[in-house]
């Protein structure tokens, strides 16, 4: 899940200013905000796993039901013991709702914005009307509650 692009940061490490070259950096534009925080050690592995589980349930719940025929052949030829797509979607929605309720009203907002909607922390803080750099602390509290809800070690 890497999509690397070259970007120029004007005024950072280069001549900067008007007509300056700036500094060239590689940026992974496909990286999620939660992955960015984990890569920099700002959230631990347990918190990251809780966020990934929440995002997985959110994405599964948001999928529309299939309205066309499935062209993939079954390997076992049976009727299927797993959940059909609609039932899986409903189950994922129930898991998502339970996890958000476990996070709590004050913490669910930042969790949804950063984990599910993919907003960067500064954007989420601004959208919620919070002061700068307050979002990471609140997000880590939300991730801890989610990890407790998912019973992660």
């Amino acid at each position: 899940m890497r999509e690397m692009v070259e970007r120029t940061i004007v005024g950072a490490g280069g001549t900067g200013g008007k007509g300056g070259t700036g500094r060239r950096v590689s940026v992974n534009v496909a990286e999620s905000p939660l992955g960015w925080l984990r890569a920099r050690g700002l959230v631990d592995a347990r918190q990251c796993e809780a966020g990934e589980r929440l995002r997985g349930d959110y994405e599964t719940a948001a999928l529309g039901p299939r309205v066309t025929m499935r062209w993939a052949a079954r390997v076992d030829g049976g009727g299927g013991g797993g959940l059909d797509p609609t039932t899986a979607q409903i189950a994922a929605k129930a898991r998502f709702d339970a996890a958000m309720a476990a996070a709590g009203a004050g913490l669910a907002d930042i969790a949804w914005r950063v984990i599910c909607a993919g907003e960067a922390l500064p954007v989420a803080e601004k959208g919620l009307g919070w002061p700068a750099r307050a979002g990471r602390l609140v997000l880590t509290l939300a991730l801890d509650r989610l990890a407790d809800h998912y019973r992660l070690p």
Side-chain angles (χ1 to χ4, degrees):
M1 187 160 169
R2 293 185 137 210
E3 187 177 332
M4 303 301 285
V5 297
E6 289 288 322
R7 297 238 171 109
T8 301
I9 301 175
V10 177
T15 57
K18 283 190 171 180
T21 58
R23 189 176 108 193
R24 304 272 306 158
V25 295
S26 294
V27 178
N28 183 2
V29 294
E31 186 175 39
S32 71
L34 188 61
W36 187 91
L37 292 168
R38 176 69 183 129
R40 284 147 186 87
L42 300 174
V43 296
D44 62 24
R46 181 176 184 255
Q47 293 168 333
C48 187
E49 176 63 26
E52 290 298 330
R53 285 193 187 186
L54 180 71
R55 185 170 57 172
D57 285 340
Y58 176 78
E59 290 176 357
T60 302
L63 293 175
R66 295 183 186 193
V67 293
T68 61
M69 184 173 179
R70 285 194 210 166
W71 296 102
R74 295 264 327 226
V75 176
D76 61 359
L83 298 176
D84 65 276
T86 304
T87 307
Q89 182 181 9
I90 293 169
K93 175 78 167 103
R95 288 192 307 269
F96 174 78
D97 289 341
M100 292 303 273
L107 303 176
D109 296 338
I110 190 77
W112 182 84
R113 284 178 177 262
V114 174
I115 298 166
C116 301
E119 289 183 1
L121 271 174
V123 175
E125 290 166 345
K126 188 173 183 176
L128 292 169
W130 292 355
R133 293 187 278 300
R136 188 178 72 82
L137 175 65
V138 179
L139 180 63
T140 56
L141 293 172
L143 289 170
D144 284 336
R145 283 198 185 173
L146 288 171
D148 291 342
H149 170 74
Y150 289 124
R151 296 187 175 117
L152 297 175

